[in-house]
Amino acid sequence: MEEERPEALKVDLCVSNGSWHVVVEQEGQRRELGGLGELIRYLQGLAAMGEAKPARGLR
């Protein structure tokens, strides 16, 4: 099992009433997003910042 790093990005996805519910947690802060489209925009913003890149599987 991997150790948790403080800069780790956690994404929780679940379906509720036919739509996706997304919660992102980074550096101890939780943020609820409106759906998959908003999650994609959030990840694109992180990639554009250059300092907080998404995990290898999300590049």
Side-chain angles (χ1 to χ4, degrees), residues 10-58:
K10 297 177 188 176
V11 179
D12 183 30
L13 300 168
C14 61
V15 177
S16 177
N17 296 327
S19 62
W20 285 97
H21 177 74
V22 182
V23 178
V24 175
E25 184 176 330
Q26 185 178 27
E27 298 176 355
Q29 296 182 350
R30 291 175 55 102
R31 180 175 176 178
E32 292 190 27
L33 304 178
L36 295 177
E38 192 172 340
L39 173 61
I40 291 169
R41 287 188 295 277
Y42 179 80
L43 294 174
Q44 287 173 332
L46 287 178
M49 287 174 38
E51 43 185 84
K53 295 181 181 176
R56 184 177 180 92
L58 297 177

